[in-house]
């Protein structure tokens, strides 16, 4: 009896496992459908051109303006600023760990950096408000309590572990023969690292920067707490700005009824956020998928 | 003669540049570690005197001296248990399908790429999906169920990727010997491959659940409340969670609430560190047992 049922049972298991795997595809489809569905209704009321080129974002106040540029500007300011913090330190650390550090030193530092990566983003937000912002205000008295600079610092710290671990992997994957060849030609350690290893790893390192910046763009709790809620077209990091993610949180905290245009703005902003980060991730994945092939 | 001097100065300059570069890289590394230590030390200083049994046992309050994290702690426990319940079978199932069943086809490559990209989607986008799908379309409202389902979507790609890696580490000889003895595919997976890869899968699961425990953004979007005066008792109850409570206290201007937030952070970090310790322990203890 059991033997004749065996193929049926095996088939059932196979099918349910297939369903599990398909769910990941369905999640993507779900994200796209839900974002598009509500956004299309939004763009019925607000022309796409006005949304993309308008310089005022005041959906919660009268008169309402729906130009996403101020939110985009705030997001880019925070992402760019945090990259400015994280990229040099991250790359330096990755180079040190990969090229210079003793195995013992690496075994101590790497787990510590993993702890840094595991700290929730709301904790970084706390740190921005309680520690970083007061320091910035002491140096630049014109800065507000909420300012983009403190968000840049903590988001920079947040994306550091990601840059370090990805870049270090890439540096490690550069074949030792290249280093040996350069050393044999009389290059010192600095020359080997900067003129041979770094150029060989460059595309992968850029991919790791892209992934980290994409993470900074999607970062939410730290920027909501630190950067404030003032959608503004400014490049001054001492001012309060609002990012796309912080706006979504602001609406979520209020009591906006479903079906209103204010409610739909979060789907339109979410769509913009999704498209931006997805594009960067896909480019980075593409670069990374080609990195390994070069030396084979 | 002059060329000889040239070579000497060049070499010396090279040595100086080399030394400065090494020092700069070392400085970068040390500053990363220092940031971590300073961060944790400061939070301990801010929060330690507010941490007490009362703090863990008390309901939230407008008065900082009376406020506690009871509802937030229980909300987090609810969320994390439900998320584990949903995400572990789904995630491990998907990984088993992709590694053990799926033919190496375009379709598999597409799913694989899709999962890698899902892992990079900002968690707040999952919040928006949860809001549209669970809260509105399926009408689960702002419940602990909606929250847990949303967190499931956030951690699913991470669990799948980690489990796949664990399954890939099981050598093919194990599968072939099982097949040679007449085992079916599922028998091979269930009795041989899964037990062998369990430590790796467990580590991945624990790490992704600890990520879910720290998430606040998607929960805010699906409607976690800042003030919930009771512990959730059923799936449809309103909820709050530790990160939400910390966010709420941090965003208030009064100093006292910042101390409360720091105390809340300490509780959260203790839970996270112990989860990670369990993961390290599992990897260490059971990872060594199997030798091929």
């Amino acid at each position: 009896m059991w033997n004749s049922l065996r193929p049926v049972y095996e088939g059932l298991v196979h099918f349910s496992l297939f369903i599990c795997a398909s769910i990941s595809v369905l999640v993507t489809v779900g994200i796209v459908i839900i974002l598009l569905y509500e956004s299309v209704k939004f763009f019925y009321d607000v022309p796409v051109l006005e949304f993309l080129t308008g310089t005022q974002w005041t959906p919660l106040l009268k008169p309402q303006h729906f130009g996403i540029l101020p939110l985009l500007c705030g997001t880019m300011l925070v992402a760019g600023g945090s990259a400015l913090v994280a990229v040099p330190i991250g790359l330096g650390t990755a180079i040190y760990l990969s090229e210079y550090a003793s195995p013992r030193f690496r075994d101590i530092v790497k787990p510590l950096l993993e702890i840094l990566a595991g700290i929730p983003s709301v904790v970084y937000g706390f740190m921005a408000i309680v520690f970083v912002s007061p320091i910035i205000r002491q140096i630049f008295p014109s800065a507000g309590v909420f300012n983009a600079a403190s968000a840049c610092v903590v988001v920079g710290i947040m994306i550091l572990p990601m840059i370090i671990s990805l870049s270090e992997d890439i540096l490690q994957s550069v074949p030792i023969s290249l280093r040996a060849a350069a050393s044999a030609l009389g290059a010192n350690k600095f020359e080997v690292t900067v003129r041979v290893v770094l150029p060989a790893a460059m595309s992968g390192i850029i991919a790791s920067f892209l992934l980290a910046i994409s993470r900074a763009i999607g970062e939410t709790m730290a920027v909501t707490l630190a950067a404030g809620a003032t959608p503004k077209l400014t490049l001054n990091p001492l001012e309060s700005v609002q990012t796309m993610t912080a706006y979504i949180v602001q609406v979520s905290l209020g009591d906006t009824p479903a079906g209103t245009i204010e409610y739909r703005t979060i789907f339109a902003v979410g769509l913009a956020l999704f498209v931006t980060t997805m594009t960067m991730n896909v480019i980075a994945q593409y670069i990374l998928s080609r990195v390994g092939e070069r030396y084979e | 003669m002059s060329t000889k001097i040239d070579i000497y100065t060049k070499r010396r300059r090279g040595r100086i540049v080399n030394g400065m570069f090494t020092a700069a890289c070392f400085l970068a590394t040390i500053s990363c570690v220092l940031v971590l230590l300073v961060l944790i030390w400061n939070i301990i200083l801010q929060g330690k005197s507010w941490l007490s049994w009362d703090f863990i046992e008390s309901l939230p309050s407008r008065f900082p001296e009376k406020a506690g994290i009871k509802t937030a702690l229980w909300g987090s426990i609810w969320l994390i248990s439900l998320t584990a319940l949903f995400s572990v079978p789904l995630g491990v199932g998907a990984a088993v399908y992709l590694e053990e069943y799926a033919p190496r086809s375009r379709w598999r490559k597409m799913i694989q790429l899709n999962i890698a990209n899902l892992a990079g989607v900002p968690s707040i986008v999952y919040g928006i999906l949860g809001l549209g799908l669970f809260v509105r379309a399926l009408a689960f409202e702002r419940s602990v169920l909606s929250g847990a389902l949303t967190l499931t979507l956030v951690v699913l790609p991470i669990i799948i990727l980690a489990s796949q890696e664990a399954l890939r580490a099981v050598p093919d000889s194990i599968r072939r010997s099982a097949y040679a003895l007449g085992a079916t595919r599922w028998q091979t997976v269930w009795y041989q491959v899964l037990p062998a890869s369990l430590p790796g899968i467990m580590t991945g699961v624990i790490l992704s659940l600890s990520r879910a425990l720290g998430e606040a953004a998607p929960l805010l979007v699906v409607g976690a409340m800042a003030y919930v005066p009771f512990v959730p008792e059923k799936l449809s109850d309103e909820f709050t969670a530790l990160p939400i409570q910390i966010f709420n206290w941090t965003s208030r201007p009064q100093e006292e609430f910042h101390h409360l937030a720091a105390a809340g952070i300490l509780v959260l970090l203790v839970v996270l560190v112990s989860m990670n310790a369990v993961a390290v322990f599992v990897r260490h203890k059971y990872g060594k047992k199997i030798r091929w």
Side-chain angles (χ1 to χ4, degrees):
Chain A
M1 183 63 189
W2 175 238
N3 273 340
S4 64
L5 278 179
R6 192 88 231 182
V8 181
Y9 176 70
E10 288 283 328
L12 270 178
V13 168
H14 191 147
F15 182 70
S16 26
L17 292 174
F18 173 76
I19 295 293
C20 289
S22 312
I23 284 182
S24 83
V25 181
L26 289 181
V27 171
T28 316
V29 175
I31 291 177
V32 174
I33 287 180
I34 291 219
L35 288 179
L36 280 181
Y37 179 75
E38 297 279 352
S39 298
V40 163
K41 284 192 194 160
F42 172 78
F43 289 124
Y44 201 74
D45 294 324
V46 180
V48 178
L49 202 67
E50 191 192 324
F51 179 70
L52 289 178
T53 60
T55 54
Q56 277 189 299
W57 180 261
T58 55
L60 305 176
L61 305 167
K62 304 276 177 200
Q64 290 177 313
H65 291 284
F66 301 98
I68 201 178
L69 284 183
L71 291 185
L72 221 50
C73 176
T75 307
M76 291 307 154
L77 182 62
V78 172
S82 54
L84 229 51
V85 172
V87 162
I89 301 180
L91 189 56
T93 307
I95 291 175
Y96 189 80
L97 289 179
S98 158
E99 308 295 316
Y100 292 92
S102 67
R104 258 193 72 178
F105 184 80
R106 196 160 56 214
D107 284 348
I108 300 172
V109 171
K110 283 196 100 176
L112 283 175
L113 294 178
E114 273 172 39
I115 297 181
L116 210 52
I119 294 176
S121 107
V122 68
V123 177
Y124 286 101
F126 173 83
M127 182 170 82
I129 289 211
V130 178
F131 310 131
V132 181
S133 177
I135 295 175
I136 287 174
R137 290 181 50 161
Q138 229 154 44
I139 305 172
F140 304 101
S142 65
V145 179
F146 302 107
N147 55 65
S150 57
C152 292
V153 171
V154 292
V155 175
I157 297 172
M158 244 181 107
I159 60 176
L160 256 180
M162 191 171 180
I163 292 185
I164 295 171
S165 82
L166 282 171
S167 302
E168 207 225 329
D169 281 350
I170 302 279
L171 287 171
Q172 294 271 4
S173 73
V174 174
I176 198 108
S177 57
L178 281 185
R179 296 184 180 88
S183 295
L185 290 173
N188 64 24
K189 188 95 186 173
F190 169 75
E191 286 160 342
V192 173
T193 308
V194 172
R195 303 239 176 104
V196 177
V197 179
L198 266 186
M202 203 31 95
S203 59
I205 289 176
I206 288 174
S208 81
F209 292 166
L210 278 181
L211 285 177
I213 293 171
S214 150
R215 165 81 68 85
I217 289 175
E219 211 301 308
T220 307
M221 301 317 290
V223 297
T224 305
L225 281 165
T230 333
K232 214 184 294 178
L233 265 180
T234 176
L235 286 176
N236 181 0
L238 299 177
E239 284 188 58
S240 161
V241 295
Q242 188 168 41
T243 64
M244 296 193 274
T245 51
Y247 170 74
I248 296 172
V249 169
Q250 189 192 2
V251 174
S252 307
L253 287 175
D255 215 11
T256 314
T260 59
I261 190 159
E262 293 87 347
Y263 171 79
R264 281 180 193 138
T265 53
I266 67 174
F267 291 87
V269 173
L271 185 65
L273 179 67
F274 180 69
V275 170
T276 321
T277 53
M278 198 69 164
T279 313
M280 293 179 78
N281 291 348
V282 168
I283 295 174
Q285 294 283 352
Y286 176 74
I287 297 176
L288 284 177
S289 72
R290 294 181 47 141
V291 165
E293 293 166 9
R294 296 237 322 260
Y295 304 113
E296 278 167 14
Chain B
M1 200 54 196
S2 72
T3 49
K4 201 170 181 187
I5 294 168
D6 239 29
I7 288 173
Y8 280 136
T9 45
K10 248 189 177 169
R11 262 197 202 156
R12 199 180 315 129
R13 212 174 285 154
R15 226 173 283 145
I16 295 172
V17 171
N18 189 20
M20 275 164 46
F21 180 71
T22 314
C25 289
F26 180 69
L27 217 66
T29 312
I30 289 303
S31 57
C32 292
V33 175
L34 276 182
V35 161
L36 175 73
L37 297 179
V38 167
L39 163 65
I40 291 178
W41 180 243
N42 269 322
I43 291 173
I44 291 176
L45 277 186
Q46 287 256 332
K48 72 170 192 299
S49 54
W50 289 71
L51 205 56
S52 65
W53 195 245
D54 271 354
F55 176 70
I56 291 171
E57 279 281 278
S58 301
L59 297 172
S61 162
R62 279 183 296 129
F63 308 103
E65 310 80 48
K66 284 204 247 162
I69 50 166
K70 187 177 183 194
T71 48
L73 197 58
W74 279 101
S76 278
I77 293 173
W78 266 87
L79 282 170
I80 219 67
S81 327
L82 286 172
T83 304
L85 196 69
F86 300 138
S87 64
V88 172
L90 262 180
V92 177
V96 168
Y97 177 79
L98 289 172
E99 285 304 310
E100 309 291 327
Y101 282 81
R104 299 282 184 267
S105 63
R106 264 195 120 91
W107 165 241
R108 178 182 182 275
K109 223 176 171 178
M110 201 196 87
I111 299 188
Q112 199 66 65
L113 206 69
N114 186 38
I115 292 169
N117 284 324
L118 276 180
V121 172
S123 60
I124 196 165
V125 171
Y126 288 103
I128 297 176
L129 175 63
L131 175 68
L133 189 63
F134 305 128
V135 179
R136 304 285 176 208
L138 299 175
F140 293 155
E141 298 301 323
R142 308 179 146 209
S143 62
V144 73
L145 178 64
S146 297
L149 285 170
T150 307
L151 284 183
T152 300
L153 301 181
V154 176
V155 298
L156 203 54
I158 317 173
I159 294 189
I160 297 178
L161 289 174
S163 307
Q164 275 189 291
E165 209 159 296
L167 290 170
R168 233 173 278 149
V170 179
D172 242 1
S173 55
I174 302 278
R175 297 184 184 86
R176 294 216 186 109
S177 20
Y179 288 141
L181 293 172
T184 62
R185 185 167 281 216
W186 179 241
Q187 283 171 331
T188 308
V189 169
W190 185 251
Y191 293 106
Q192 300 301 328
V193 181
L194 270 182
S197 56
L198 207 56
I201 293 178
M202 288 265 289
T203 321
V205 164
I206 296 171
L207 290 181
S208 56
L209 287 181
S210 75
R211 157 116 192 252
L213 196 65
E215 280 288 358
L219 295 178
L220 278 177
V221 180
V222 297
M225 299 286 168
Y227 181 78
V228 180
F230 52 82
V231 171
E233 275 161 6
K234 52 186 188 305
L235 290 181
S236 56
D237 278 347
E238 288 180 345
F239 70 102
T240 186
L242 275 177
I244 306 282
Q245 188 68 67
I246 293 166
F247 169 71
N248 182 269
W249 281 332
T250 307
S251 59
R252 297 190 193 195
Q254 300 94 323
E255 189 91 358
E256 292 86 355
F257 283 109
H258 290 173
H259 290 290
L260 279 177
I265 289 172
L266 284 180
V267 173
L268 183 62
L269 287 184
V270 165
V271 178
L272 288 180
V273 167
S274 18
M275 282 174 79
N276 286 353
V278 170
V280 170
F281 176 77
V282 167
R283 188 160 40 184
H284 214 73
K285 170 123 197 250
Y286 299 96
K288 274 190 185 149
K289 240 188 188 168
I290 305 153
R291 289 239 160 120
W292 290 298

